[in-house]
Amino acid sequence: MGTYESGVSPFAVCSFVAWLLVVAAAWSFRSRTYAFFNGVALGLQVLFASTLFPRFHAVWPFFVYAQAALFVQSLALVRPRMRGLAYRALISVPGAFFGAGTLLTFPWVLGAAFGLRLPGVWVPYAVALFGVMQSLYSREEQVELVVADGQSVPDLRRHRVPVPARAHHASRRPLRLIQITDPHLGPFMSVARLRTICERAAARNPDLVLLTGDFLTMESQSNPALLAAALAPLAALPGRCFACFGNHDHEAPDTVRGALEQAGVTLLVDDAREVETAA
């Protein structure tokens, strides 16, 4: 597998066969849309990875494994569902890393087309690895924001009627907001992990919780109970949780809508709410 004499490597041939298999399965058992998606995305993967494969001769077993993991993951998504930790660790994560890193190699592939051997071909994979490592943990950040009142900036007046000075004086406690954004329930975000995040949010007893979309991935769309179970701890904050759709949520809006409703979260779609908080 590491050496070849002809102009086309066994790696390229096997990758092309895998591409045909995934596209055919997607067309036959899922949808034309998914077939076209794989036809383009995996087609670029085959082209880029096959072009650069000779430059990774020293680590060719890993290169082959990661390519295979990507194709197995794409084939499994013909019937998408949430899978266990072992599958995610051995297939989903390596496949996502390798797919992202390979697509970032476009400048090196373009250079190869003109006979140039650009240095640093490992850089795109280092960037992809950094992105994967970021996705494996939940980053929590606390930010203090000061919003000018109408006395300073008339266009930012927050009260429709004048508020007595004593009310301003009494309301010294800042408004406590928690934002949960882009959980992407799937290979990198398990139900248990998202549920823990929601439990921590509820334990802080905030004035408002804002969920700003992208709840799902392909893997989590098929079972509405998954997101509902993950968001369940927010039911402890009735009337204080609000959400909007992210672009991924439009693929399964009823799943998201139902899960939010079960958790007592108000979904806002071209809508607004006026609320009164303890602050």
Side-chain angles (χ1 to χ4, degrees):
M1 194 65 166
T3 61
Y4 53 91
E5 297 179 358
S6 63
V8 180
S9 70
F11 176 85
V13 173
C14 292
S15 296
F16 178 73
V17 171
W19 175 81
L20 286 177
L21 176 63
V22 173
V23 172
W27 185 283
S28 301
F29 302 110
R30 182 168 177 180
S31 68
R32 293 183 179 182
T33 300
Y34 187 59
F36 280 122
F37 169 78
N38 276 302
V40 175
L42 294 183
L44 292 175
Q45 177 73 25
V46 170
L47 176 63
F48 289 11
S50 298
T51 300
L52 298 177
F53 177 67
R55 299 192 62 178
F56 289 90
H57 174 73
V59 292
W60 73 263
F62 174 77
F63 204 85
V64 171
Y65 176 84
Q67 179 87 325
L70 175 61
F71 278 92
V72 169
Q73 172 72 348
S74 300
L75 186 62
L77 286 175
V78 172
R79 289 288 183 264
R81 62 182 177 87
M82 290 285 282
R83 300 178 185 272
L85 178 61
Y87 179 90
R88 299 199 307 270
L90 296 175
I91 301 297
S92 299
V93 173
F97 151 74
F98 193 67
T102 301
L103 289 180
L104 292 175
T105 64
F106 175 72
W108 286 263
V109 174
L110 187 63
F114 290 95
L116 301 176
R117 187 182 174 90
L118 300 179
V121 70
W122 54 268
V123 171
Y125 293 101
V127 172
L129 180 61
F130 177 74
V132 167
M133 298 304 296
Q134 281 189 315
S135 299
L136 292 176
Y137 71 93
S138 303
R139 186 179 60 172
E140 186 173 314
E141 184 178 8
Q142 183 172 319
V143 180
E144 294 185 6
L145 299 175
V146 178
V147 180
D149 206 345
Q151 296 177 353
S152 304
V153 184
D155 289 342
L156 292 181
R157 187 179 302 278
R158 292 175 290 173
H159 308 291
R160 291 193 175 90
V161 296
V163 178
R166 63 178 180 275
H168 283 297
H169 179 74
S171 183
R172 293 297 186 186
R173 180 175 74 77
L175 184 69
R176 295 194 297 261
L177 306 176
I178 286 182
Q179 179 190 17
I180 300 174
T181 187
D182 294 80
H184 290 286
L185 191 63
F188 291 91
M189 177 67 70
S190 66
V191 172
R193 181 180 169 195
L194 181 54
R195 186 181 181 92
T196 299
I197 291 172
C198 292
E199 288 173 348
R200 292 206 311 263
R204 295 196 176 195
N205 193 30
D207 297 302
L208 294 171
V209 177
L210 310 177
L211 299 99
T212 46
D214 278 358
F215 297 98
L216 303 176
T217 60
M218 289 185 188
E219 290 88 342
S220 56
Q221 291 177 12
S222 60
N223 188 350
L226 296 174
L227 182 60
L231 299 180
L234 297 179
L237 303 172
R240 287 188 270 174
C241 301
F242 297 86
C244 64
F245 279 145
N247 61 302
H248 288 272
D249 303 320
H250 289 285
E251 299 174 12
D254 292 338
T255 297
V256 176
R257 188 177 288 108
L260 293 173
E261 184 177 355
Q262 289 186 50
V265 179
T266 301
L267 176 64
L268 300 179
V269 179
D270 295 329
D271 197 4
R273 290 289 188 278
E274 183 174 312
V275 297
E276 183 174 333
T277 72

